[in-house]
Amino acid sequence: MARGKLRIYLGAAPGVGKTYAMLSEAHRRVERGTDCVVAFVEHHHRPRTEVMLHGLEEIPRKELEYRGTVFTEMDVDAVLARRPQVALVDELPHTNIPGSRNAKRWKDVEELLAAGIDVISTVNIQHLESLGDIVESITGVRQQETVPDEVVRRADQIELVDMSPQALRRRMAHGNIYKSDKVDAALSNYFRPGNLTALRELALLWVADRVDEYLTEYRSEHRVSKIWGSRERIVVGLTGGPEGRTLIRRAARLAEKGAGGEVMAVYIARSDGLTSASPKELAIQRTLVEDLGGTFHHVIGDDVPTALLDFARGVNATQIVLGVSRRKGWQYVFGPGVGATVARDSGPDLDVHLITHGEAGKGRGLPVARSARLGRLRVVWGWLTGVAGPALLTLLLTGVAPEVGLANDMLLFLALTVAAALLGGLYPALASAVVGSLLLNWFFTPPVHTLTIADPKNIVAIAIFVGVAVSVASVVDLAARRTHQAARLRAESEILSFLAGSVLRGETSLEALLERVRETFGMESVALLERESDVTPWTCAGRVGTGRTLERPEDADVDMPVGDRMALALSGRVLPAEDRRVLAAFAAQAAVVLDRQRLQSQADQSRALAEGNRIRTALLAAVSHDLRTPLAGIKAAVSSLRSDDVAWSEEDRAELLEGIEEGADRLDHLVGNLLDMSRLQTGTVTPLIREIDLDEVVPMALGGVPEDSVELDIPETLPMVVVDPGLLERSVANLVENAVKYSPAGEPVLVAASAMADRVEVRVVDRGPGVPAEAKDRIFAPFQRYGDAPRGAGVGLGLAVARGFAEAMGGTLNAEDTPGGGLTMVLGLPAAAGKGATAVPAYAPERVFPPRAADARSGPRC
């Protein structure tokens, strides 16, 4: 019996329409005459989904009792007995009630497929087992019902059901997913735009990987060797040298330019082109490429270019990134190099990028002195060529080719002198000229085996040989020195250009500049020291590196004074004198950067003082009216009560006293907000943080508003919050007072709380006129009253004080639109550590046992 085929509708988020799409496909198949039945579909009382069930045959569900409650599950035996061509099974990750045939619904589906029945099912991306941790970090909700990725990957067809976050939130607000009483909580918790965007990206990337697997299988089965550039896949060739970090970062930037770009770093071992690999450096590069979202591969290959191209074509890569060769110019006589060979053989469907980089192990360092640049081994080879080379050449000429002729002998000895100059510089070349001339005189100039020369022409020839050898050696050495000087001057000009550009842009911090100094000169640590006078001790203005701590310039390996009271100190090695010119430029720039940072700090303080002056000016303007109004009312009421000309009745006296009390309350509220704002502006707010339950604080904040004007929804299962109770009470009181002020008559303000990951949110919801998006931040500024608020309605400090107190406690306060009209203030507070939310969130994508009745399940089951 042939196995049935599985088709899965994969949803980016709950409510995007997976079940609706599955039912639409069922209707199309029924119209074509296919025997299609509904094995299990959950419509969640969504009208449009419920309508789609009409006209489809439904298999009766199986009833199971668990802990005194009756539940319904898919009847696998009934479906197998019915044996339809196609069965619709919703919610593949669902956990069955204990006592069912299988623990998970996807195992029920496996039985149907084994029986030859085609199955159409649905899965949300957050229910894939491999994405559980990622989804929890994004949404704050841990998915208990999951399905192994392999079950979904084995599906014959996977169709993504997608929708933009904005469209999904509109669908939610219109009541097409949840009932109206759950819309606000869902939109503010699980269905936030950021959450939906992240889930959508996960779904798109997962499906893209699945499509890539299909493509790889197809290319393998049909033996397609030509690269198909369906997505940018960049291969980075590593040598194990430090330039690999530059190549990886460059490849990552290239991948970011194309949608779905992928970076694959590969190291090919045992080859002439990629040798001398540092295991430590390779480990660092592996970590770097994985941190950037790429993968690392270790390949064995005798021919590096061939192995690299075979790997690139095998993974269907579109680009190869290689570093410019580190070989010297003369070494190209042994071959064109890996980069040139790969570029030549890559073909038209594979782009090759050659990336420039600094010397291996030198970072951005300057070229060192010539003797050090040549290296001890190279100088040794130069002396061997200059001294031992003529002797070996003499043995060869006397034993193998004694009749070559004096002119040819001289040319061969001259070639050795040039080689000695190229390898070891001037002195090995001079030694080669002297030794060669003596050997020519002794072995090849008649009379042989004597230092006398019989023929005057040979004397001239020997003299010309010595002169030409010395001249050639000098020219070669001078050219090498000029090349070194040009490279050094170029490096210096690049550094000075960087310093000049950073001065103009003002974008380099002191730490970044000191780090640049450390990298450039290969130091262990760099510090900028300063002192106030010649007798005061040195203090450290900035330091980078891991070397010893420098307390005085005298303790450093290299110190560069900057004026009389500042110095740049470096530890690690002693620098040659020629490097101090660039070091002096760095030191001067460090002093400039330090002065700029201090000037910036002074400017910030000046702005703070100017802001304080503005606040004080606004405060005086507010006091001139808003405080005088209640004072005038109190004064008039008191004067009336004290008047002997009028006999006030008890009702009149009570009314006047009530007016005095209201005026005093208004004064107390205004003065309290003014004092709070003053504390926030001067930075004297010191929160006394402790753990407390919200239901102990929020009710106390409602004392200043009418009893029937606020509805509370503070679940007892919320985690404790880490706040200052007094500051929290003042923040909530200001928010509630502001909401009540703008709410229509008969529309109570809702104060609700919920837990999301490590945060607890308090939402103050009103149905007032709302605030435009461009004004949502402005309403939190001091002395701001939005709209047509009348004078005397406050000085506009309530929301500013509420946000200031929230931020002082480590929380946040933001304004959002209330679905259906109005404004919602969202106060985010840190939850107590180690006490996660135990309350059921606004969206619970899975059911946790012991389950509730089917008609009481919260959250979508799609």
Side-chain angles (χ1 to χ4, degrees):
M1 180 183 300
R3 179 181 173 85
K5 294 183 178 180
L6 176 61
R7 177 170 182 169
I8 291 179
Y9 286 92
L10 180 65
V16 295
K18 303 179 303 302
T19 304
Y20 189 94
M22 178 179 67
L23 294 174
S24 298
E25 175 65 20
H27 281 285
R28 285 192 292 271
R29 297 199 180 196
V30 169
E31 291 175 359
R32 295 196 300 264
T34 303
D35 182 16
C36 183
V37 301
V38 176
F40 187 96
V41 169
E42 188 67 73
H43 55 72
H44 298 292
H45 303 290
R46 297 169 186 169
R48 297 189 178 183
T49 305
E50 194 170 359
V51 169
M52 293 297 294
L53 285 170
H54 296 168
L56 296 177
E57 179 185 349
E58 295 188 55
I59 302 294
R61 301 183 183 183
K62 184 178 182 180
E63 294 186 352
L64 295 171
E65 184 177 349
Y66 180 73
R67 293 186 178 180
T69 306
V70 176
F71 300 92
T72 60
E73 297 288 0
M74 180 175 67
D75 192 339
V76 180
D77 293 326
V79 178
L80 292 174
R82 172 64 173 76
R83 295 195 60 81
Q85 290 180 276
V86 179
L88 308 184
V89 182
D90 206 1
E91 300 176 357
L92 190 63
H94 170 74
T95 301
N96 293 327
I97 296 294
S100 300
R101 185 187 185 99
N102 296 297
K104 302 290 288 187
R105 184 167 293 166
W106 61 266
K107 294 184 178 180
D108 295 338
V109 169
E110 287 292 325
E111 287 196 34
L112 300 182
L113 294 173
I117 301 174
D118 294 344
V119 176
I120 304 177
S121 188
T122 62
V123 178
N124 269 338
I125 188 66
Q126 68 266 25
H127 292 292
L128 293 179
E129 197 169 77
S130 65
L131 302 179
D133 294 339
I134 300 176
V135 172
E136 182 180 12
S137 66
I138 294 171
T139 64
V141 178
R142 181 67 180 182
Q143 306 295 328
Q144 300 298 329
E145 293 187 337
T146 60
V147 59
D149 291 45
E150 185 59 29
V151 173
V152 182
R153 289 182 182 275
R154 287 200 305 263
D156 299 275
Q157 296 183 55
I158 299 177
E159 183 172 337
L160 178 65
V161 183
D162 186 26
M163 179 178 289
S164 70
Q166 295 78 12
L168 182 56
R169 284 172 60 85
R170 285 197 299 270
R171 175 181 289 184
M172 174 76 69
H174 293 160
N176 295 333
I177 300 177
Y178 290 151
K179 294 181 180 180
S180 58
D181 59 341
K182 295 183 179 180
V183 170
D184 291 349
L187 288 176
S188 61
N189 289 282
Y190 195 89
F191 287 84
R192 294 178 178 179
N195 291 358
L196 297 178
T197 302
L199 292 174
R200 188 186 193 194
E201 183 180 20
L202 284 178
L204 292 172
L205 291 176
W206 195 91
V207 173
D209 290 339
R210 178 58 177 152
V211 172
D212 196 56
E213 291 177 10
Y214 281 131
L215 181 60
T216 302
E217 292 176 4
Y218 179 87
R219 285 165 49 85
S220 176
E221 292 175 358
H222 294 79
R223 299 182 180 179
V224 178
S225 59
K226 183 179 179 181
I227 293 176
W228 290 356
S230 55
R231 63 187 295 185
E232 291 295 338
R233 185 173 282 111
I234 303 173
V235 171
V236 185
L238 301 179
T239 67
E243 77 278 358
R245 307 182 200 180
T246 301
L247 303 184
I248 291 171
R249 293 188 179 97
R250 178 61 173 162
R253 291 196 295 271
L254 289 173
E256 290 174 356
K257 295 180 180 179
E262 182 180 354
V263 177
M264 307 177 73
V266 57
Y267 171 69
I268 301 177
R270 294 191 310 186
S271 178
D272 293 337
L274 300 173
T275 57
S276 303
S278 167
K280 180 179 179 181
E281 185 63 33
L282 280 177
I284 294 174
Q285 292 172 14
R286 176 193 291 269
T287 302
L288 175 61
V289 71
E290 291 175 351
D291 289 343
L292 294 175
T295 56
F296 184 91
H297 304 268
H298 194 112
V299 177
I300 304 299
D302 295 329
D303 185 358
V304 172
T306 301
L308 187 61
L309 289 172
D310 290 342
F311 176 85
R313 292 192 173 99
V315 298
N316 199 30
T318 57
Q319 302 180 55
I320 295 179
V321 173
L322 297 173
V324 173
S325 176
R326 289 181 288 160
R327 295 193 299 174
K328 303 299 181 182
W330 62 269
Q331 291 177 311
Y332 282 95
V333 300
F334 300 107
V338 175
T341 304
V342 170
R344 182 191 64 200
D345 299 337
S346 61
D349 53 355
L350 190 57
D351 297 333
V352 179
H353 302 269
L354 292 179
I355 307 301
T356 58
H357 55 82
E359 283 187 276
K362 301 296 182 181
R364 300 189 184 96
L366 296 172
V368 297
R370 173 164 172 77
S371 59
R373 178 176 64 87
L374 292 177
R376 178 175 298 179
L377 181 62
R378 182 170 172 179
V379 172
V380 170
W381 276 105
W383 280 103
L384 289 175
T385 303
V387 177
L392 294 176
L393 180 60
T394 300
L395 292 175
L396 180 65
L397 292 176
T398 55
V400 178
E403 304 299 332
V404 172
L406 182 60
N408 292 328
D409 293 337
M410 289 184 177
L411 289 177
L412 292 174
F413 278 97
L414 182 62
L416 279 179
T417 302
V418 173
L422 290 174
L423 287 174
L426 177 62
Y427 295 111
L430 293 178
S432 176
V434 172
V435 174
S437 62
L438 293 175
L439 293 174
L440 281 170
N441 187 6
W442 185 269
F443 289 100
F444 302 104
T445 305
V448 295
H449 303 301
T450 66
L451 293 179
T452 59
I453 302 176
D455 191 348
K457 295 181 181 179
N458 292 335
I459 297 177
V460 175
I462 293 291
I464 293 176
F465 165 77
V466 174
V468 171
V470 172
S471 300
V472 170
S474 300
V475 170
V476 171
D477 182 74
L478 180 62
R481 292 180 182 274
R482 292 290 183 266
T483 301
H484 166 67
Q485 292 173 359
R488 181 178 183 83
L489 291 174
R490 177 182 177 183
E492 289 183 359
S493 65
E494 290 177 353
I495 291 175
L496 295 176
S497 175
F498 161 78
L499 293 176
S502 64
V503 170
L504 295 175
R505 295 187 298 270
E507 59 185 21
T508 303
S509 65
L510 180 61
E511 289 72 18
L513 182 64
L514 295 181
E515 181 64 26
R516 182 66 183 261
V517 175
R518 191 185 69 81
E519 290 181 357
T520 299
F521 297 101
M523 291 295 181
E524 295 178 356
S525 65
V526 179
L528 182 63
L529 306 177
E530 63 175 348
R531 60 181 177 178
E532 296 181 357
S533 65
D534 295 339
V535 295
T536 56
W538 292 91
T539 60
C540 182
R543 182 182 182 276
V544 297
T546 58
R548 68 181 189 274
T549 301
L550 302 175
E551 298 181 354
R552 301 180 304 165
E554 294 81 3
D555 299 334
D557 295 319
V558 181
D559 69 284
M560 176 59 63
V562 187
D564 296 332
R565 301 177 182 176
M566 190 175 294
L568 191 64
L570 299 84
S571 67
R573 64 186 180 93
V574 178
L575 291 179
E578 57 187 355
D579 285 344
R580 296 183 66 87
R581 178 176 57 182
V582 177
L583 182 60
F586 271 115
Q589 175 65 5
V592 171
V593 171
L594 181 61
D595 290 340
R596 184 191 303 122
Q597 289 183 352
R598 290 174 174 171
L599 291 173
Q600 182 65 39
S601 177
Q602 294 175 3
D604 293 339
Q605 294 177 3
S606 299
R607 280 194 292 270
L609 292 174
E611 179 65 17
N613 289 331
R614 188 188 70 82
I615 293 293
R616 282 190 288 271
T617 302
L619 175 60
L620 291 175
V623 168
S624 65
H625 185 280
D626 293 285
L627 293 182
R628 291 178 60 186
T629 299
L631 281 174
I634 294 173
K635 175 65 175 177
V638 172
S639 299
S640 300
L641 288 173
R642 296 189 61 186
S643 174
D644 297 331
D645 299 336
V646 180
W648 301 101
S649 64
E650 291 299 327
E651 294 180 358
D652 294 336
R653 291 176 62 86
E655 185 176 351
L656 290 173
L657 290 173
E658 184 180 357
I660 293 173
E661 185 178 13
E662 290 179 356
D665 290 340
R666 288 179 58 190
L667 277 176
D668 180 68
H669 181 72
L670 291 173
V671 172
N673 276 338
L674 290 172
L675 292 175
D676 291 340
M677 198 66 222
S678 175
R679 292 167 59 202
L680 289 171
Q681 291 295 327
T682 56
T684 57
V685 176
T686 305
L688 301 176
I689 302 298
R690 65 184 180 89
E691 296 182 3
I692 193 170
D693 286 319
L694 274 180
D695 53 9
E696 296 181 26
V697 180
V698 174
M700 299 174 61
L702 309 181
V705 296
E707 294 183 0
D708 57 348
S709 61
V710 178
E711 289 184 1
L712 276 180
D713 182 13
I714 310 294
E716 296 181 357
T717 53
L718 284 177
M720 300 179 75
V721 292
V722 185
V723 296
D724 182 317
L727 297 185
L728 177 59
E729 181 182 345
R730 293 298 303 274
S731 297
V732 175
N734 284 350
L735 295 177
V736 172
E737 180 185 350
N738 184 77
V740 171
K741 183 190 305 180
Y742 290 100
S743 290
E747 288 285 350
V749 172
L750 174 62
V751 180
S754 60
M756 286 294 296
D758 59 346
R759 309 285 288 177
V760 174
E761 287 189 348
V762 179
R763 308 179 71 85
V764 181
V765 184
D766 68 63
R767 295 291 179 177
V771 175
E774 63 273 9
K776 283 188 172 61
D777 285 332
R778 194 166 64 246
I779 61 177
F780 293 102
F783 304 104
Q784 296 292 323
R785 289 179 294 190
Y786 178 73
D788 56 354
R791 298 291 293 179
V795 293
L797 289 176
L799 295 182
V801 170
R803 172 174 275 189
F805 283 170
E807 293 176 349
M809 296 183 294
T812 58
L813 178 59
N814 297 291
E816 297 180 358
D817 291 328
T818 301
L823 188 67
T824 298
M825 291 293 177
V826 183
L827 177 61
L829 303 171
K835 298 180 181 180
T838 57
V840 178
Y843 165 63
E846 66 280 334
R847 184 173 60 191
V848 183
F849 292 111
R852 295 168 290 173
D855 57 355
R857 297 175 188 170
S858 63
R861 300 284 297 171
C862 44

